Amino acid sequence: MLDKNGIAKRIAKEIKDGYYVNLGIGIPTLVANYIPNGINVELQSENGLLGMGPFPFEGEEDPDLINAGKQTITTLPGSSIFDSAMSFGMIRAQKIDLTILGAMEVSENGDIANWKIPGKMVKGMGGAMDLVASAKNIIVAMQHINKAGESKLLPACTLPLTGVKCIKKIVTELAVLDVLPEGGFKLLERAPGVSVDFIKQSTAGKLVVEGEILEMLID
Amino acid sequence: MLDKNGIAKRIAKEIKDGYYVNLGIGIPTLVANYIPNGINVELQSENGLLGMGPFPFEGEEDPDLINAGKQTITTLPGSSIFDSAMSFGMIRAQKIDLTILGAMEVSENGDIANWKIPGKMVKGMGGAMDLVASAKNIIVAMQHINKAGESKLLPACTLPLTGVKCIKKIVTELAVLDVLPEGGFKLLERAPGVSVDFIKQSTAGKLVVEGEILEMLID
Amino acid sequence: MINKVVSNADEAIKDIANGHTLMLGGFGLCGIPENCIAALVKKGVKDLTCISNNAGVDGFGIGLMLETRQVKKMISSYVGENAEFERQLLSGELEVELIPQGTLATRCLAAGYGIPAIFTPAGVGTEVADGKETRNFSGKDYLMEYAFDADFALVKAWKGDTAGNLIFRSTSRNFNPIMAMAGKVTIAEVEELVQAGELDPDHIHTPGVYVHRIFQGEAYEKRIEQRTVRKKD
Amino acid sequence: MINKVVSNADEAIKDIANGHTLMLGGFGLCGIPENCIAALVKKGVKDLTCISNNAGVDGFGIGLMLETRQVKKMISSYVGENAEFERQLLSGELEVELIPQGTLATRCLAAGYGIPAIFTPAGVGTEVADGKETRNFSGKDYLMEYAFDADFALVKAWKGDTAGNLIFRSTSRNFNPIMAMAGKVTIAEVEELVQAGELDPDHIHTPGVYVHRIFQGEAYEKRIEQRTVRKKD
């Protein structure tokens, strides 16, 4: 079973040389730490920055330079700043190659819910609805099962949707899965020490298992 | 009867302090020479400049700095450069207070034709259709009658239209006229030495003459 | 040159009245019009509708206007990090309209560019689409979204000149330039106000034609919401 | 940093083929991609549809591609000042679609911002409206206009860096940044190519994400169409 850093490490292997990538808050942010050497990537922050760098050294924080999670950050050589309209313009126009974000639930037809829990204070969708509706390539980083052991990979989402039929790949603490165009979660890899049977038990939506499912390689 | 510079001089008196003004090609361009002292105006050139200055001194021409008529120009303190989308954005959003342009024909309901003569090579509308459709305040600088003595202020335009019901004020070699909201040219002033009768003869569209029509003051 | 300078925030906001719709630039606490917010609190104008990506935090930013009950409605994409906001929302004192961040930005742009409506895929198939026109272009569904209509836009820039031209610094740009274009009346506060002619025309982010009043702000606090750092090796 | 540098115009345009739709930046002869045009003439690719505000003059700019009969269709707002253009148009060799300049610009912007259609009042009640959807917003009529769909955009900038970031100089900016955003593949030629990190991130007009190939052009002629001057007193 993977911890958060393990999920981030596995997702990092999906990033190709030359990709522009938008990383959501939470586990996706950790992905930046595991981008392989020799892979040139530019990170987009939807508040208006391409070429996001690491956190600043202590004492060098600039209140005018933050990411979409409101964290102080830095720029890298080649970075550019733009307004929010251009930022979401390039997202809608699919100039960003890959979006990585978290989810509360994903359905077997690729719907995603990650912004609202009825009865709880709703903070808002931020840029998530724009990202999932626009991106050509989305990877969801999420927990396969909640603390009560209930699956979050469902036949249909129970929570209010963020976007419909948009998720194509999911990485959880248990597995890597594709969402099939015709519906269903196709099991691609299992986490170290996790059995196919356990993944079957943990997936409420339709799970497609074909052939031998290898354990994922992370390091 | 006014010459081109006379028309430009008369139009210049319509410009108020603090106006952003777009000047079309031809007579409108001459208006810049007659803006009264003490009146602060910024000229917009729709290829992407606010704060257009005079022609450069000989030898100081910059091929990267032209106006919408493709003439070499200069900038003034406070000028700004922007792309063509923003340029027409500010035009459509009515941030430009006054547009002055030429016309081949204007109709008594405020339609304008100034871009196309059937049978002749059509060069295109450039920015004219955007300007007339968007501007809140348009003054047309035009000849009242053509060389054959035929009126160009008509009941309805005969040439293909540039815009509909958009013209509110006209300055010609003979007169200053408003286009009434209910239709018709209301005579406001006559050019030096021009009689009301001659203006009546020269106006094919409905002419409204009320009270005494004074000769215009130019200098 | 058309001079846009006013003496201070109080003068700049003097005709903002109860019930007005305001746009406020900034993302989180980054690039917010601190001086204008302070002047609005001082003036006590109320029943405001505020269009702003976020709603500040307790004790700073729009949070200050929430404490004084000046805001009737927030139009935002994300309103976390604010206990007073949550209290007013749950008690029904405050109305909130949540819209996707890109839709928020593009509705500003549309207003500034005189485009009455645009189409975006954000929110298709979700509750955001309720009551909205959906339209298919090239096999993909989009929602029609309208340009914003705001009485005032309050923005914060780094430098500005007497003609109203603005330059923003780093990611404090965010919503500021597009809101500056969108306000019927736009008020800009700047860290440094210079004479027209001192800014390079090629580097201006917001042309002065979009700015109606400009003043040099004072005592910028620029609070940091999430101070994240790394250690030197 | 993602490197976008190619060695020259020939390499940059190598996959432009017969029948492609190209956007070409520039207003008149100001800010046109001189090197790319020369390379297209040399390559001899034909049946091109060119989206460009103007069509050059005899012997320069797109005029060079007209002489070699490479252009099947021009989409422009103004095509005066070109005798060969007129000859081909009147003889039926060349197809021309004239559209209002602001509509041309906004259809580029829409493509670059992933907005499939926008509304503009330009052309309402004229022949430009023929066959188009008209829609009333707040009592005013608008036409619905679609985002452009171009295979390549060829733009000219003043400075660029290896990451593809562009800065334009003075009014040679014009259509260049919005076409740069609109091309499926965008090729930028620059007067000066510098290393990533040498341009101020706050001053970049076109972020590198929109630019697929960049090279330093050579021998810019920058012809002036209307040389207008005044005498020193």
Side-chain angles (χ1 to χ4, degrees):
Chain A
M1 201 172 298
L2 302 178
D3 61 7
K4 288 183 177 182
N5 282 294
I7 294 175
K9 272 188 198 175
R10 177 59 192 82
I11 290 176
K13 295 169 90 78
E14 300 289 321
I15 295 177
K16 295 191 173 63
D17 192 39
Y19 265 17
Y20 292 92
V21 181
N22 181 290
L23 301 178
I25 296 167
I27 297 176
T29 301
L30 299 174
V31 173
N33 300 330
Y34 302 108
I35 294 168
N37 285 333
I39 296 284
N40 290 300
V41 165
E42 280 194 35
L43 300 179
Q44 197 237 26
S45 188
E46 67 263 27
N47 54 317
L49 169 64
L50 264 169
M52 178 165 60
F55 295 147
F57 290 119
E58 268 189 277
E60 295 179 6
E61 311 91 305
D62 178 350
D64 287 339
L65 180 51
I66 64 170
N67 65 14
K70 283 111 181 176
Q71 297 171 310
T72 46
I73 48 156
T74 56
T75 59
L76 292 172
S79 78
S80 55
I81 303 283
F82 33 84
D83 66 43
S84 301
M86 182 181 272
S87 184
F88 284 92
M90 65 181 68
I91 288 167
R92 273 195 309 266
Q94 305 197 320
K95 303 295 176 182
I96 306 301
D97 300 290
L98 176 62
T99 290
I100 303 171
L101 78 174
M104 300 169 182
E105 297 178 347
V106 172
S107 79
E108 64 188 37
N109 71 346
D111 295 353
I112 177 173
N114 74 350
W115 78 284
K116 186 175 184 178
I117 302 174
K120 283 203 179 177
M121 163 73 184
V122 180
K123 294 189 168 183
M125 67 291 280
M129 284 192 180
D130 307 273
L131 283 160
V132 300
S134 304
K136 53 188 167 190
N137 195 1
I138 304 174
I139 300 178
V140 167
M142 68 185 293
Q143 297 301 316
H144 211 112
I145 47 177
N146 65 18
K147 284 168 190 163
E150 294 162 341
S151 178
K152 299 165 88 170
L153 278 63
L154 304 170
C157 293
T158 63
L159 297 171
L161 295 180
T162 307
V164 295
K165 293 183 188 170
C166 50
I167 306 305
K168 298 198 180 92
K169 191 175 280 289
I170 303 166
V171 179
T172 74
E173 76 279 20
L174 304 182
V176 180
L177 311 100
D178 270 358
V179 178
L180 295 170
E182 66 272 24
F185 301 105
K186 183 171 168 68
L187 183 59
L188 300 178
E189 300 171 16
R190 55 200 170 77
V194 173
S195 69
V196 170
D197 273 350
F198 187 71
I199 295 167
K200 279 185 187 167
Q201 287 168 37
S202 305
T203 306
K206 180 183 170 190
L207 185 75
V208 177
V209 183
E210 287 174 355
E212 192 186 358
I213 305 301
L214 297 177
E215 207 168 86
M216 62 181 84
L217 298 170
I218 289 186
D219 290 304
Chain B
M1 202 172 299
L2 301 178
D3 61 7
K4 286 181 178 185
N5 282 295
I7 294 174
K9 272 187 198 174
R10 177 59 192 83
I11 289 175
K13 295 170 90 79
E14 300 289 321
I15 295 176
K16 294 190 171 62
D17 192 40
Y19 265 17
Y20 293 92
V21 181
N22 182 290
L23 300 178
I25 295 168
I27 297 175
T29 301
L30 300 174
V31 173
N33 301 329
Y34 302 108
I35 294 168
N37 285 333
I39 296 284
N40 291 301
V41 165
E42 280 194 37
L43 301 179
Q44 197 238 23
S45 189
E46 67 264 25
N47 54 319
L49 169 65
L50 265 169
M52 179 165 59
F55 295 147
F57 290 119
E58 268 187 280
E60 296 179 5
E61 311 91 305
D62 178 350
D64 288 338
L65 182 50
I66 65 171
N67 65 15
K70 283 111 179 175
Q71 299 171 310
T72 46
I73 47 157
T74 56
T75 58
L76 292 173
S79 78
S80 56
I81 303 284
F82 33 84
D83 66 43
S84 301
M86 184 181 270
S87 183
F88 284 92
M90 66 181 66
I91 288 168
R92 274 196 308 268
Q94 304 196 322
K95 302 295 175 182
I96 306 301
D97 300 290
L98 176 62
T99 290
I100 303 171
L101 78 175
M104 300 170 182
E105 297 178 349
V106 171
S107 79
E108 65 188 36
N109 71 346
D111 295 352
I112 177 172
N114 73 349
W115 77 285
K116 185 175 185 178
I117 300 175
K120 285 205 180 177
M121 163 72 185
V122 180
K123 294 191 168 182
M125 67 292 279
M129 284 193 181
D130 306 274
L131 283 160
V132 300
S134 304
K136 53 189 168 189
N137 194 2
I138 303 174
I139 301 178
V140 167
M142 67 185 293
Q143 297 301 318
H144 210 113
I145 47 177
N146 65 17
K147 283 168 190 164
E150 294 162 341
S151 179
K152 299 166 86 171
L153 279 62
L154 304 170
C157 293
T158 65
L159 296 171
L161 295 181
T162 307
V164 295
K165 292 184 187 168
C166 51
I167 306 305
K168 298 202 181 92
K169 191 175 283 285
I170 303 165
V171 179
T172 74
E173 77 280 20
L174 304 182
V176 179
L177 311 99
D178 271 356
V179 178
L180 296 170
E182 67 272 23
F185 301 104
K186 181 170 168 72
L187 183 60
L188 299 178
E189 300 172 16
R190 54 198 172 79
V194 173
S195 69
V196 170
D197 274 349
F198 186 71
I199 295 167
K200 278 184 188 168
Q201 287 167 37
S202 305
T203 306
K206 180 182 171 189
L207 186 74
V208 177
V209 184
E210 287 174 356
E212 191 186 358
I213 306 300
L214 296 177
E215 206 168 87
M216 62 181 85
L217 299 171
I218 288 185
D219 291 305
Chain C
M1 196 273 298
I2 300 169
N3 194 305
K4 306 293 178 76
V5 179
V6 297
S7 55
N8 56 35
D10 295 331
E11 189 189 338
I13 66 144
K14 65 177 189 294
D15 51 352
I16 296 183
N18 295 348
H20 271 151
T21 296
L22 314 183
M23 289 181 158
L24 294 102
F27 181 92
L29 301 179
C30 181
I32 61 175
E34 296 185 19
N35 281 252
C36 282
I37 290 171
L40 286 168
V41 170
K42 186 172 145 196
K43 186 176 161 77
V45 59
K46 57 183 197 297
D47 292 327
L48 300 172
T49 295
C50 292
I51 302 170
S52 175
N53 190 57
N54 312 96
V57 297
D58 290 302
F60 202 63
I62 293 176
L64 295 167
M65 294 162 65
L66 290 165
E67 282 172 15
T68 46
R69 309 282 201 287
Q70 295 178 265
V71 182
K72 183 182 69 178
K73 181 177 179 179
M74 280 301 310
I75 300 177
S76 303
S77 85
Y78 192 81
V79 293
E81 347 297 3
N82 197 321
E84 175 61 18
F85 183 96
E86 189 167 343
R87 194 198 61 70
Q88 290 184 26
L89 180 62
L90 297 176
S91 71
E93 292 168 65
L94 179 66
E95 195 183 339
V96 176
E97 185 181 343
L98 292 170
I99 60 183
Q101 195 174 328
T103 302
L104 186 74
T106 313
R107 291 176 66 187
C108 293
L109 182 80
Y113 277 13
I115 299 170
I118 55 93
F119 295 95
T120 174
V124 167
T126 76
E127 64 183 54
V128 164
D130 290 352
K132 288 180 185 156
E133 182 172 332
T134 303
R135 188 154 176 154
N136 191 286
F137 294 94
S138 306
K140 183 167 177 165
D141 284 333
Y142 294 81
L143 303 182
M144 190 167 83
E145 297 277 4
Y146 293 91
F148 277 124
D149 186 16
D151 299 302
F152 290 86
L154 312 179
V155 304
K156 150 73 171 53
W158 178 46
K159 285 189 181 181
D161 71 16
T162 51
N165 295 302
L166 305 179
I167 295 179
F168 302 91
R169 183 172 175 278
S170 200
T171 60
S172 73
R173 194 184 314 183
N174 56 64
F175 282 85
N176 282 299
I178 51 176
M179 287 183 169
M181 297 192 303
K184 278 202 204 64
V185 175
T186 292
I187 298 166
E189 55 177 89
V190 299
E191 291 183 55
E192 188 185 349
L193 181 63
V194 303
Q195 290 300 311
E198 290 186 39
L199 303 179
D200 183 337
D202 282 341
H203 292 166
I204 286 164
H205 296 128
T206 300
V209 68
Y210 282 114
V211 175
H212 300 83
R213 302 168 195 168
I214 190 169
F215 67 95
Q216 183 167 307
E218 54 189 35
Y220 282 102
E221 192 175 334
K222 293 198 187 183
R223 210 180 279 187
I224 291 176
E225 216 162 329
Q226 302 281 343
R227 187 179 303 272
T228 46
V229 296
R230 63 188 155 136
K231 288 237 156 67
K232 280 186 182 160
D233 291 331
Chain D
M1 195 271 298
I2 300 169
N3 194 304
K4 306 292 179 74
V5 179
V6 296
S7 54
N8 57 35
D10 295 330
E11 189 190 338
I13 66 143
K14 66 177 188 293
D15 51 352
I16 296 183
N18 295 348
H20 271 151
T21 296
L22 314 183
M23 291 181 156
L24 294 103
F27 182 93
L29 302 180
C30 182
I32 61 174
E34 296 185 20
N35 281 252
C36 282
I37 290 171
L40 286 168
V41 170
K42 186 172 144 197
K43 186 176 161 81
V45 60
K46 58 183 198 295
D47 293 327
L48 300 171
T49 294
C50 293
I51 302 170
S52 175
N53 190 57
N54 312 96
V57 298
D58 290 302
F60 202 63
I62 293 175
L64 295 167
M65 294 162 65
L66 291 166
E67 282 172 16
T68 46
R69 310 281 201 287
Q70 295 177 263
V71 183
K72 182 182 71 179
K73 181 176 179 179
M74 280 300 311
I75 300 177
S76 302
S77 86
Y78 192 80
V79 293
E81 349 294 5
N82 195 323
E84 175 61 18
F85 183 96
E86 188 166 346
R87 195 199 61 69
Q88 289 185 28
L89 179 63
L90 296 176
S91 71
E93 294 167 63
L94 180 67
E95 196 183 335
V96 176
E97 184 180 344
L98 293 169
I99 60 183
Q101 194 174 329
T103 302
L104 186 74
T106 312
R107 290 177 65 188
C108 293
L109 183 80
Y113 277 12
I115 299 169
I118 56 93
F119 295 94
T120 174
V124 167
T126 77
E127 64 183 54
V128 165
D130 290 350
K132 288 180 185 155
E133 182 173 330
T134 303
R135 188 154 175 155
N136 191 286
F137 294 95
S138 305
K140 182 166 177 165
D141 284 333
Y142 295 81
L143 303 182
M144 190 167 82
E145 298 276 6
Y146 293 91
F148 277 124
D149 187 15
D151 299 302
F152 291 85
L154 312 178
V155 304
K156 151 73 169 55
W158 178 47
K159 287 190 180 180
D161 71 17
T162 51
N165 294 302
L166 305 179
I167 295 179
F168 302 91
R169 184 173 174 277
S170 201
T171 60
S172 73
R173 192 182 318 182
N174 56 61
F175 282 86
N176 282 299
I178 51 176
M179 288 183 168
M181 297 193 303
K184 276 201 206 65
V185 174
T186 291
I187 298 166
E189 55 176 271
V190 299
E191 291 183 55
E192 188 186 350
L193 182 63
V194 302
Q195 290 301 309
E198 290 185 38
L199 303 179
D200 184 337
D202 283 341
H203 292 166
I204 285 164
H205 296 127
T206 301
V209 68
Y210 282 114
V211 175
H212 300 82
R213 302 167 196 168
I214 190 168
F215 67 94
Q216 183 167 306
E218 52 188 34
Y220 283 102
E221 191 175 333
K222 292 197 186 184
R223 210 180 279 187
I224 291 175
E225 216 162 328
Q226 304 280 344
R227 188 178 302 272
T228 45
V229 297
R230 61 187 156 136
K231 289 237 155 67
K232 279 187 181 158
D233 290 332

